[in-house]
Amino acid sequence: MNPASANSPAPRELDVRPILRSGGEPFQAIMEAVSGLKPGQALRLLAPFRPQPLFKVMAGRGFAHAAREIGGGDWEVLFTPEEAGSPVAFSADAEDPEVWPDPTVNLDLTELDPPEPMVRILSAAESMQAGEVLFALLSREPLFLYPELAKRGHQWAGNFDETRTTFRIFVRVGKVKA
């Protein structure tokens, strides 16, 4: 299950226990650490609990995990990159995104901070016709965009590129719900 090769760089270590002890939220620090990984590099995370919700987020970014308790209730999790790019995720109602038409709108939003990418994607989708496709590049997975797209009847498909620094998303504009 461990796809890292013997030639992979040493894992980067991130200890989020001090952040949590001070009342902080470590998610941004974790995502910044992931963005700073070299190709093929793993992330060794130290936490005061088993970070179960993070496993799905990291799987979406193409990382397998191995977790073990290291004592005192603390956990060590080694997130190891899968060899191939992350799998394509798509909305539950998306029917075969591979046959969607070519995008009519292309946006590079990698330099924008949240929530601006979400605002621009939703705004662009409002001016498009049902069935048209928008393509956007983002600096992170747009977790808060997905429910907004679903509310508006749009479908999506996306994943991280091979470097895991850019999220690619296709949005197929849906019909306006009455």
Side-chain angles (χ1 to χ4, degrees), residues 68-129:
R68 69 181 183 98
E69 190 169 2
I70 56 175
D74 291 345
W75 285 78
E76 175 190 76
V77 183
L78 185 63
F79 290 103
T80 309
E82 303 281 352
E83 285 187 19
S86 62
V88 175
F90 48 87
S91 56
D93 61 343
E95 298 170 10
D96 198 4
E98 292 185 17
V99 298
W100 289 0
D102 290 336
T104 54
V105 174
N106 292 283
L107 302 171
D108 182 351
L109 307 172
T110 56
E111 300 296 322
L112 301 177
D113 291 325
E116 193 62 28
M118 180 170 79
V119 170
R120 291 199 185 185
I121 289 171
L122 293 174
S123 176
E126 286 180 16
S127 65
M128 297 170 65
Q129 299 294 315

Coordinates of all heavy atoms in Angstrom, one line a residue, residues 68-129:
R68 N -0.7 5.5 13.8 CA -0.4 4.7 14.9 C -0.3 5.6 16.2 O 0.1 6.7 16.1 CB 0.9 3.9 14.8 CG 2.1 4.8 14.8 CD 3.4 3.9 14.6 NE 4.6 4.8 14.7 CZ 5.3 4.9 15.8 NH1 5.1 4.3 16.9 NH2 6.4 5.7 15.8
E69 N -0.8 5.0 17.3 CA -0.8 5.8 18.5 C 0.6 5.7 19.1 O 1.2 4.6 19.1 CB -1.8 5.2 19.5 CG -2.0 6.1 20.7 CD -3.1 5.7 21.6 OE1 -3.8 4.6 21.3 OE2 -3.4 6.3 22.6
I70 N 1.1 6.9 19.5 CA 2.5 6.9 20.0 C 2.6 7.1 21.5 O 3.7 7.3 22.0 CB 3.3 8.0 19.2 CG1 2.7 9.4 19.4 CG2 3.5 7.6 17.8 CD1 3.5 10.5 18.8
G71 N 1.5 7.1 22.2 CA 1.5 7.2 23.6 C 0.9 8.5 24.1 O 1.0 9.5 23.4
G72 N 0.3 8.4 25.3 CA -0.2 9.6 25.9 C -1.4 10.1 25.1 O -1.8 11.3 25.2
G73 N -2.0 9.3 24.3 CA -3.2 9.7 23.4 C -2.7 10.4 22.1 O -3.6 10.8 21.3
D74 N -1.4 10.6 21.9 CA -0.9 11.2 20.7 C -0.8 10.2 19.6 O -0.7 9.0 19.8 CB 0.5 11.9 21.0 CG 0.4 13.1 21.9 OD1 -0.7 13.6 22.1 OD2 1.4 13.5 22.4
W75 N -0.9 10.7 18.4 CA -0.9 9.9 17.2 C 0.1 10.4 16.2 O 0.4 11.6 16.1 CB -2.3 9.9 16.5 CG -3.3 9.1 17.2 CD1 -4.0 9.4 18.4 CD2 -3.7 7.8 16.9 NE1 -4.8 8.4 18.7 CE2 -4.6 7.4 17.8 CE3 -3.4 6.9 15.9 CZ2 -5.2 6.1 17.8 CZ3 -4.0 5.7 15.8 CH2 -4.9 5.3 16.8
E76 N 0.7 9.5 15.5 CA 1.6 9.8 14.3 C 0.9 9.2 13.1 O 0.5 8.1 13.1 CB 2.9 9.1 14.5 CG 3.8 9.3 13.3 CD 5.1 8.4 13.4 OE1 5.0 7.2 13.2 OE2 6.1 9.0 13.7
V77 N 0.8 10.1 12.1 CA 0.2 9.7 10.8 C 1.2 10.0 9.7 O 1.6 11.1 9.6 CB -1.2 10.4 10.5 CG1 -1.8 9.8 9.3 CG2 -2.1 10.2 11.7
L78 N 1.5 9.0 8.9 CA 2.3 9.2 7.8 C 1.5 9.2 6.5 O 0.8 8.2 6.2 CB 3.4 8.0 7.7 CG 4.4 8.2 6.6 CD1 5.2 9.5 6.8 CD2 5.3 7.0 6.5
F79 N 1.4 10.4 5.9 CA 0.6 10.5 4.6 C 1.6 10.3 3.5 O 2.6 11.1 3.3 CB 0.0 11.9 4.6 CG -1.2 12.0 5.5 CD1 -1.0 12.8 6.7 CD2 -2.4 11.4 5.3 CE1 -2.0 12.9 7.6 CE2 -3.4 11.6 6.2 CZ -3.2 12.3 7.4
T80 N 1.4 9.3 2.7 CA 2.3 9.0 1.6 C 1.7 9.2 0.3 O 0.6 8.7 0.1 CB 2.7 7.5 1.8 OG1 3.2 7.2 3.1 CG2 3.8 7.1 0.8
P81 N 2.3 9.9 -0.6 CA 1.7 10.2 -1.9 C 1.5 9.0 -2.8 O 2.4 8.1 -2.8 CB 2.6 11.2 -2.6 CG 4.0 11.0 -1.9 CD 3.7 10.5 -0.5
E82 N 0.4 8.8 -3.4 CA 0.2 7.8 -4.4 C 1.0 8.1 -5.6 O 1.3 9.3 -5.8 CB -1.3 7.7 -4.8 CG -2.3 7.5 -3.6 CD -2.3 6.1 -3.1 OE1 -1.8 5.2 -3.8 OE2 -2.9 5.9 -2.1
E83 N 1.4 7.1 -6.3 CA 2.3 7.4 -7.5 C 1.6 8.2 -8.6 O 2.2 9.1 -9.2 CB 2.8 6.1 -8.1 CG 3.9 5.5 -7.2 CD 4.5 4.3 -7.8 OE1 4.4 4.1 -9.0 OE2 5.1 3.5 -7.0
A84 N 0.3 7.9 -8.9 CA -0.4 8.6 -9.9 C -1.0 9.8 -9.4 O -1.0 10.0 -8.2 CB -1.5 7.7 -10.5
G85 N -1.5 10.7 -10.2 CA -2.2 11.9 -9.8 C -3.4 11.5 -9.0 O -3.9 10.3 -9.0
S86 N -4.0 12.4 -8.2 CA -5.2 12.0 -7.4 C -6.3 11.6 -8.3 O -6.5 12.1 -9.4 CB -5.5 13.2 -6.5 OG -5.9 14.3 -7.2
P87 N -7.2 10.8 -7.8 CA -8.3 10.3 -8.6 C -9.3 11.5 -8.8 O -9.4 12.4 -8.0 CB -9.0 9.2 -7.7 CG -8.5 9.5 -6.3 CD -7.2 10.1 -6.4
V88 N -10.0 11.4 -9.9 CA -11.0 12.4 -10.2 C -12.2 12.2 -9.3 O -12.8 11.1 -9.3 CB -11.4 12.4 -11.7 CG1 -12.5 13.4 -12.0 CG2 -10.2 12.7 -12.5
A89 N -12.6 13.2 -8.6 CA -13.9 13.2 -7.8 C -14.9 14.0 -8.6 O -14.6 14.9 -9.4 CB -13.7 13.8 -6.4
F90 N -16.2 13.6 -8.4 CA -17.2 14.4 -9.1 C -18.5 14.3 -8.3 O -18.7 13.5 -7.4 CB -17.4 13.9 -10.6 CG -17.5 12.4 -10.7 CD1 -18.8 11.8 -10.6 CD2 -16.4 11.6 -11.0 CE1 -18.9 10.4 -10.7 CE2 -16.5 10.3 -11.1 CZ -17.8 9.6 -11.0
S91 N -19.4 15.3 -8.7 CA -20.6 15.4 -8.0 C -21.5 14.2 -8.2 O -21.3 13.5 -9.2 CB -21.4 16.7 -8.4 OG -21.6 16.7 -9.8
A92 N -22.4 13.9 -7.2 CA -23.1 12.7 -7.3 C -24.0 12.6 -8.5 O -24.3 11.5 -9.0 CB -24.0 12.6 -6.0
D93 N -24.4 13.7 -9.0 CA -25.3 13.7 -10.2 C -24.6 13.9 -11.5 O -25.2 13.9 -12.6 CB -26.4 14.8 -10.1 CG -25.7 16.2 -10.0 OD1 -24.5 16.3 -9.8 OD2 -26.4 17.2 -10.3
A94 N -23.3 13.9 -11.5 CA -22.5 14.0 -12.7 C -22.5 12.7 -13.5 O -22.2 11.7 -13.0 CB -21.0 14.4 -12.4
E95 N -23.0 12.8 -14.7 CA -23.0 11.6 -15.6 C -21.9 11.6 -16.5 O -21.8 12.5 -17.4 CB -24.4 11.6 -16.4 CG -25.6 11.5 -15.4 CD -26.9 11.7 -16.2 OE1 -26.8 11.7 -17.5 OE2 -27.9 11.9 -15.6
D96 N -20.9 10.7 -16.4 CA -19.8 10.6 -17.3 C -19.1 11.9 -17.7 O -19.3 12.3 -18.8 CB -20.2 9.8 -18.5 CG -19.0 9.2 -19.2 OD1 -17.9 9.3 -18.7 OD2 -19.2 8.6 -20.3
P97 N -18.4 12.5 -16.8 CA -17.8 13.8 -17.1 C -16.8 13.8 -18.3 O -16.5 14.8 -18.9 CB -17.0 14.2 -15.8 CG -17.7 13.4 -14.8 CD -18.2 12.2 -15.4
E98 N -16.4 12.6 -18.7 CA -15.5 12.5 -19.8 C -16.1 12.8 -21.2 O -15.4 13.1 -22.1 CB -14.9 11.1 -19.9 CG -14.0 10.8 -18.7 CD -13.3 9.4 -18.8 OE1 -13.2 8.9 -19.9 OE2 -12.8 9.0 -17.8
V99 N -17.4 12.8 -21.2 CA -18.1 13.2 -22.5 C -18.7 14.6 -22.4 O -19.4 15.0 -23.4 CB -19.2 12.2 -22.8 CG1 -18.6 10.8 -23.1 CG2 -20.3 12.2 -21.8
W100 N -18.3 15.4 -21.4 CA -18.8 16.8 -21.4 C -18.1 17.5 -22.5 O -17.0 17.2 -22.9 CB -18.4 17.4 -20.0 CG -19.2 16.9 -18.8 CD1 -20.2 16.0 -18.8 CD2 -19.0 17.3 -17.5 NE1 -20.6 15.8 -17.5 CE2 -19.9 16.6 -16.7 CE3 -18.2 18.3 -16.9 CZ2 -20.0 16.8 -15.3 CZ3 -18.3 18.4 -15.5 CH2 -19.2 17.7 -14.7
P101 N -18.8 18.6 -23.0 CA -18.2 19.4 -24.1 C -16.9 20.1 -23.5 O -16.8 20.3 -22.3 CB -19.3 20.4 -24.5 CG -20.2 20.4 -23.3 CD -20.1 19.1 -22.6
D102 N -16.1 20.6 -24.5 CA -15.0 21.4 -24.1 C -15.4 22.7 -23.3 O -16.5 23.2 -23.6 CB -14.1 21.8 -25.3 CG -13.4 20.6 -25.9 OD1 -13.2 19.6 -25.2 OD2 -13.1 20.7 -27.1
P103 N -14.6 23.1 -22.4 CA -15.0 24.3 -21.7 C -15.1 25.6 -22.6 O -14.3 25.7 -23.5 CB -13.8 24.5 -20.7 CG -13.2 23.2 -20.6 CD -13.4 22.6 -21.9
T104 N -16.1 26.4 -22.3 CA -16.3 27.7 -23.0 C -15.7 28.8 -22.2 O -15.5 29.9 -22.7 CB -17.8 27.9 -23.3 OG1 -18.5 27.9 -22.0 CG2 -18.3 26.9 -24.3
V105 N -15.4 28.5 -20.9 CA -14.8 29.5 -20.0 C -13.7 28.9 -19.3 O -13.8 27.7 -18.7 CB -15.9 30.1 -19.0 CG1 -15.2 31.0 -17.9 CG2 -17.0 30.8 -19.7
N106 N -12.5 29.5 -19.3 CA -11.3 29.0 -18.6 C -10.9 30.1 -17.6 O -10.7 31.3 -18.0 CB -10.2 28.7 -19.5 CG -10.5 27.5 -20.4 OD1 -10.5 26.4 -19.9 ND2 -10.9 27.8 -21.6
L107 N -10.7 29.7 -16.3 CA -10.3 30.7 -15.3 C -9.0 30.1 -14.6 O -9.0 29.0 -14.1 CB -11.4 30.8 -14.3 CG -12.8 31.3 -14.8 CD1 -13.8 31.2 -13.7 CD2 -12.6 32.7 -15.3
D108 N -8.0 31.0 -14.4 CA -6.9 30.7 -13.6 C -7.1 31.5 -12.3 O -6.8 32.7 -12.3 CB -5.6 31.0 -14.3 CG -4.4 30.6 -13.4 OD1 -4.6 30.3 -12.2 OD2 -3.3 30.7 -13.9
L109 N -7.4 30.8 -11.2 CA -7.8 31.5 -10.0 C -6.7 31.1 -8.9 O -7.0 31.3 -7.7 CB -9.2 31.1 -9.5 CG -10.3 31.4 -10.6 CD1 -11.6 30.8 -10.1 CD2 -10.4 32.8 -10.9
T110 N -5.6 30.6 -9.3 CA -4.6 30.1 -8.4 C -4.0 31.2 -7.5 O -3.5 30.9 -6.4 CB -3.5 29.4 -9.1 OG1 -2.9 30.3 -10.1 CG2 -4.0 28.1 -9.8
E111 N -4.1 32.4 -7.9 CA -3.4 33.5 -7.1 C -4.4 34.2 -6.1 O -4.0 35.1 -5.4 CB -2.9 34.6 -8.0 CG -1.8 34.1 -9.0 CD -0.5 33.6 -8.2 OE1 -0.2 34.2 -7.2 OE2 0.0 32.5 -8.6
L112 N -5.7 33.7 -6.1 CA -6.7 34.4 -5.3 C -6.9 33.7 -4.0 O -6.8 32.4 -3.9 CB -8.0 34.5 -6.1 CG -8.0 35.2 -7.4 CD1 -9.3 35.1 -8.1 CD2 -7.6 36.7 -7.2
D113 N -7.2 34.4 -3.0 CA -7.5 33.9 -1.7 C -9.0 33.6 -1.6 O -9.8 34.3 -2.1 CB -7.1 34.8 -0.5 CG -5.6 35.0 -0.4 OD1 -4.9 33.9 -0.7 OD2 -5.1 36.1 -0.1
P114 N -9.4 32.6 -0.8 CA -10.8 32.3 -0.5 C -11.5 33.5 0.1 O -10.8 34.2 0.9 CB -10.8 31.1 0.4 CG -9.5 30.5 0.3 CD -8.5 31.7 -0.1
P115 N -12.7 33.8 -0.2 CA -13.6 33.0 -1.0 C -13.7 33.5 -2.5 O -14.6 33.1 -3.2 CB -15.0 33.3 -0.3 CG -14.9 34.7 0.1 CD -13.4 34.9 0.5
E116 N -12.7 34.3 -2.9 CA -12.8 34.9 -4.3 C -12.9 33.9 -5.4 O -13.7 34.1 -6.3 CB -11.6 35.8 -4.5 CG -11.7 36.7 -5.7 CD -12.9 37.7 -5.6 OE1 -13.3 38.1 -4.5 OE2 -13.4 38.1 -6.7
P117 N -12.1 32.8 -5.4 CA -12.3 31.8 -6.4 C -13.8 31.3 -6.5 O -14.3 31.1 -7.6 CB -11.3 30.7 -6.1 CG -10.3 31.4 -5.3 CD -11.0 32.4 -4.5
M118 N -14.4 31.0 -5.4 CA -15.7 30.5 -5.4 C -16.7 31.6 -5.9 O -17.6 31.2 -6.8 CB -16.2 30.1 -4.0 CG -17.6 29.6 -3.9 SD -18.0 28.9 -2.3 CE -18.3 30.4 -1.3
V119 N -16.5 32.8 -5.5 CA -17.3 33.9 -6.0 C -17.2 34.0 -7.5 O -18.2 34.1 -8.2 CB -17.0 35.2 -5.3 CG1 -17.6 36.4 -6.0 CG2 -17.3 35.2 -3.8
R120 N -16.0 33.9 -8.0 CA -15.8 34.1 -9.5 C -16.4 32.9 -10.3 O -17.0 33.1 -11.4 CB -14.3 34.3 -9.8 CG -13.9 35.6 -9.3 CD -12.6 36.0 -9.9 NE -12.1 37.3 -9.3 CZ -11.1 37.9 -9.8 NH1 -10.4 37.5 -10.8 NH2 -10.7 39.0 -9.1
I121 N -16.2 31.7 -9.8 CA -16.8 30.6 -10.5 C -18.3 30.6 -10.5 O -18.9 30.4 -11.6 CB -16.3 29.2 -9.8 CG1 -14.8 29.0 -10.1 CG2 -17.1 28.1 -10.3 CD1 -14.2 27.9 -9.3
L122 N -18.9 30.9 -9.4 CA -20.4 31.0 -9.3 C -20.9 32.2 -10.2 O -21.9 32.0 -10.9 CB -20.9 31.2 -7.9 CG -20.6 30.0 -7.0 CD1 -21.0 30.3 -5.5 CD2 -21.4 28.8 -7.5
S123 N -20.2 33.3 -10.2 CA -20.6 34.4 -11.1 C -20.5 34.0 -12.6 O -21.4 34.3 -13.4 CB -19.7 35.6 -10.8 OG -20.0 36.7 -11.7
A124 N -19.4 33.4 -12.9 CA -19.2 33.0 -14.3 C -20.3 32.0 -14.8 O -20.8 32.1 -15.9 CB -17.8 32.4 -14.6
A125 N -20.6 31.1 -13.9 CA -21.6 30.1 -14.2 C -23.0 30.7 -14.4 O -23.8 30.2 -15.3 CB -21.7 29.0 -13.1
E126 N -23.3 31.8 -13.7 CA -24.6 32.4 -13.9 C -24.7 33.0 -15.3 O -25.9 33.1 -15.8 CB -24.7 33.6 -12.9 CG -25.0 33.1 -11.5 CD -25.1 34.2 -10.5 OE1 -25.3 35.4 -10.9 OE2 -25.0 34.0 -9.3
S127 N -23.7 33.4 -16.0 CA -23.8 33.9 -17.3 C -23.7 32.9 -18.4 O -23.7 33.2 -19.6 CB -22.7 35.0 -17.5 OG -21.4 34.4 -17.4
M128 N -23.6 31.6 -18.0 CA -23.4 30.6 -19.0 C -24.7 29.9 -19.3 O -25.7 29.9 -18.5 CB -22.3 29.6 -18.6 CG -21.0 30.2 -18.4 SD -19.7 29.2 -17.6 CE -19.6 27.8 -18.8
Q129 N -24.8 29.2 -20.4 CA -26.0 28.4 -20.8 C -26.0 27.0 -20.2 O -24.9 26.5 -20.0 CB -26.1 28.3 -22.3 CG -26.2 29.6 -23.0 CD -27.5 30.3 -22.7 OE1 -28.6 29.8 -22.7 NE2 -27.4 31.6 -22.4

